[in-house]
Amino acid sequence: MSVAAGPVEAGNRIGGQSRPAADGQTFESRNPAHTADVVGVFPRSGAGDIDGAVRAATEAFDAWRRTPWPRRAEIILRAAQLMEARKDDLARTMTREMGKVLTEARGDVQEAIDMGKFIAGEGRRAFGETVPSELRDKWAMTMRQPFGVVGCITPWNFPIAIPSWKVFPAIMAGNAVVLKPAEDTPLCALRFVEMLEEAGLPAGVVNAVFGYGEEAGDALVRHPGVAAIYFTGSVDTGRIVSEICGRMLKKCSLELGGKNAILVLADADLELAVDGALWGAFGTAGQRCTASSRLIVESGALDEFTARLLDRTARLRLGDGLEEGVDVGPVINETQLRRVHSYTGVGREEGASLLTGGEIAREGALAEGWFYRPTVFGDVTPAMRIAQEEIFGPTTVVMPVRSLDEALAAANSTQYGLSLSVYTNDLRKAFRAINELHSGIVYVNAPTIGAEIQLPFGGTRNTGNGHREAGGRVLDEFSEWKSIYIDYSGHLQRAQIDTE
Ligand code: ADP
């Protein structure tokens, strides 16, 4: 067993200091590949701890919002550079704490570096508008202002990238932050916040409070001192968060689930499509909101595509993501392992054909962790639960269709609309798919994963509530507009009032 070090014992980061939970309770973060390996012990925080963090953020906010944008940007850029220098260490910590294979963990850290560099550029942009007034000798313009103290609640599957997607733009815009990371990946979040502090971020501008969603997370959402919530997680939790924010009139940005599909048309390059399907379905053990959990295949390609997919799936190596040559790591925890396995039962009962996998892997060292065999179902129809519900594990389904129209209808038939992809060499079909697929992201001849930070990220329908993360307009999510009118005429001028 390749274990880096003993457990880290850490407190919350509040006002630049380490603080235990008020009632002294703790919880453990464990390595999903070797569950006896305790990665860290963290405070199990409650409403009092959240309140302390919101107070620290409120205190820090005023000086931070007055700090010039380019100065704020320099700190963010320095944090990104620290991450770059420590990329490998961070990635190893991530693989140990969360399980994704090392190459993917490096990619996760890289995404955060990219976001830091990208958003730091806004320090000298963050443009407002100057527009003509309808009145003489009157000037009209806009500028951005921060919300105040904002809450970021993040999941475990991108333990550094997702916090960075929220925290970097939030502080760039002048907000102060309380971050409540997922209970499965507190150490990654701690490292992220420590680097911001090391880069020169004033104490209290970003605070991290560890603990469970129903306790610390809920308290953060309900805190009257928090103006906006940025949440990534499940649809069920998103609804709860959104209801509370709705009642309290808080801004609420939700990034929820996906049931993404790759459409493989009869004319597609099948080797390319199989490469994409494997990476999309089994990368991060299928635990991405953009995972390719449905493969919708036109009849002309079905036999050949399925045969090649099964052959390649059988050759994937399961194991500890820190080991060379491992393709698929563990799933995050026991609850998730049981959930993924329960869907194998659902698929069987619904009459789908289990083509490969469908088992908890227990041989040798795999018994030390939460490993599930890469699983493929065939003969799946759009109405089946395994074609509708997000499994969030290494399970994908092959859905046969007879035409492009049928493929498009099947692709659009779930409650989600995050990422859809089409493999074809026919330009007309590709453009039809681009227009007809109802999702926030569409790929052509690439799988459903691989978002880049300079484009908006998010989805239609129940994937969210109409917001987008990242992209060139990301500051719109993290700041409010102020419209400014300056009348230098020296007398009262009345807009919209007719004058004779
Ligand atoms: P996942 O399936 O990714 O674990 P969750 O929605 O359960 O999805 O969790 C995502 C994040 O939301 C985690 O940080 C979790 O602690 C937090 N969370 C869970 N329940 C709540 C809640 N009721 N209120 C606020 N945050 C919550």
Side-chain angles (χ1 to χ4, degrees), residues 95 109 113 135 182 198 202 220 223 270-271 280 282 314 341 365 391 475:
T95 298
V109 179
I113 297 167
L135 297 167
E198 199 181 327
L220 181 57
H223 199 293
L270 290 190
E271 201 54 34
F282 303 128
H341 192 47
I391 299 173
L475 284 179

Coordinates of all heavy atoms in Angstrom, one line a residue, residues 95 109 113 135 182 198 202 220 223 270-271 280 282 314 341 365 391 475:
T95 N -5.2 12.3 -5.0 CA -5.4 10.9 -5.3 C -5.6 10.1 -4.0 O -6.5 9.2 -3.9 CB -4.3 10.3 -6.1 OG1 -4.2 11.0 -7.4 CG2 -4.5 8.8 -6.4
V109 N -5.9 19.8 -10.6 CA -5.1 21.0 -10.1 C -4.8 21.9 -11.3 O -4.9 23.2 -11.1 CB -3.7 20.5 -9.5 CG1 -2.9 21.7 -9.0 CG2 -3.9 19.5 -8.4
I113 N -5.3 26.0 -11.6 CA -4.2 27.0 -12.1 C -4.8 27.8 -13.2 O -4.6 29.0 -13.2 CB -3.0 26.2 -12.5 CG1 -2.4 25.4 -11.3 CG2 -1.9 27.1 -13.1 CD1 -1.4 24.4 -11.7
L135 N -30.4 62.8 -21.8 CA -30.4 64.2 -21.4 C -29.1 64.9 -21.7 O -28.1 64.2 -21.7 CB -30.8 64.3 -19.9 CG -32.2 63.8 -19.6 CD1 -32.3 63.6 -18.1 CD2 -33.3 64.7 -20.2
A182 N -16.7 19.5 0.6 CA -17.3 18.2 0.8 C -16.6 17.5 2.0 O -15.4 17.6 2.2 CB -17.2 17.4 -0.4
E198 N -0.9 31.9 1.8 CA 0.5 32.1 1.6 C 0.8 33.1 0.5 O 1.8 33.8 0.5 CB 1.1 30.7 1.2 CG 2.6 30.6 1.3 CD 3.1 29.3 0.9 OE1 2.4 28.2 1.1 OE2 4.2 29.2 0.4
P202 N -5.4 38.6 2.6 CA -5.6 39.1 4.0 C -6.5 38.1 4.7 O -7.4 37.5 4.2 CB -6.3 40.4 3.8 CG -6.0 40.9 2.4 CD -5.8 39.6 1.6
L220 N -24.6 27.5 6.8 CA -24.1 28.5 5.9 C -25.2 29.1 5.0 O -25.3 30.3 4.8 CB -22.9 27.9 5.0 CG -22.2 28.8 4.0 CD1 -21.6 30.0 4.7 CD2 -21.1 28.0 3.3
H223 N -27.5 31.4 7.0 CA -26.9 32.5 7.7 C -27.3 33.8 7.1 O -27.1 34.1 5.9 CB -25.4 32.4 7.8 CG -24.8 33.3 8.9 ND1 -24.9 34.6 8.9 CD2 -24.2 32.9 10.0 CE1 -24.3 35.1 10.0 NE2 -23.9 34.1 10.7
L270 N -15.2 4.7 -35.5 CA -15.6 3.9 -34.3 C -14.4 3.8 -33.3 O -14.7 3.8 -32.1 CB -16.1 2.6 -34.7 CG -17.4 2.6 -35.4 CD1 -18.0 1.1 -35.5 CD2 -18.4 3.4 -34.7
E271 N -13.2 3.8 -33.8 CA -12.1 3.7 -32.8 C -12.0 5.0 -32.0 O -11.9 5.0 -30.7 CB -10.8 3.5 -33.6 CG -9.6 2.9 -32.7 CD -10.0 1.6 -32.0 OE1 -10.8 0.8 -32.6 OE2 -9.5 1.4 -30.9
G280 N -14.7 9.0 -21.3 CA -15.9 9.7 -20.7 C -16.7 8.9 -19.7 O -17.2 9.5 -18.7
F282 N -15.5 6.1 -17.9 CA -14.8 5.5 -16.7 C -13.7 6.3 -16.1 O -13.1 6.0 -15.1 CB -14.2 4.1 -17.2 CG -15.2 3.2 -17.7 CD1 -15.1 2.5 -18.9 CD2 -16.4 2.9 -16.9 CE1 -16.1 1.7 -19.4 CE2 -17.4 2.1 -17.4 CZ -17.2 1.4 -18.7
A314 N -12.7 -4.5 -20.8 CA -12.1 -5.6 -20.1 C -10.7 -5.4 -19.7 O -10.1 -6.0 -18.8 CB -12.3 -6.9 -20.9
H341 N -23.8 -0.2 -7.1 CA -24.1 -1.6 -7.2 C -25.7 -1.8 -7.3 O -26.1 -2.7 -8.0 CB -23.5 -2.4 -6.1 CG -23.6 -3.9 -6.3 ND1 -23.2 -4.5 -7.5 CD2 -24.0 -4.9 -5.5 CE1 -23.4 -5.8 -7.5 NE2 -23.9 -6.1 -6.3
A365 N -5.5 -6.6 -3.2 CA -5.5 -5.3 -2.6 C -6.8 -4.5 -2.8 O -7.1 -3.5 -2.1 CB -4.3 -4.4 -3.0
I391 N -26.0 7.8 -11.9 CA -25.5 6.8 -11.1 C -24.2 7.2 -10.4 O -23.9 6.9 -9.3 CB -25.3 5.5 -12.0 CG1 -26.6 5.0 -12.6 CG2 -24.6 4.4 -11.2 CD1 -26.5 3.9 -13.6
L475 N -17.7 36.9 -14.2 CA -17.9 37.9 -13.1 C -19.3 38.3 -12.9 O -19.7 38.8 -11.9 CB -17.0 39.2 -13.4 CG -15.5 39.0 -13.2 CD1 -14.8 40.3 -13.5 CD2 -15.2 38.7 -11.7

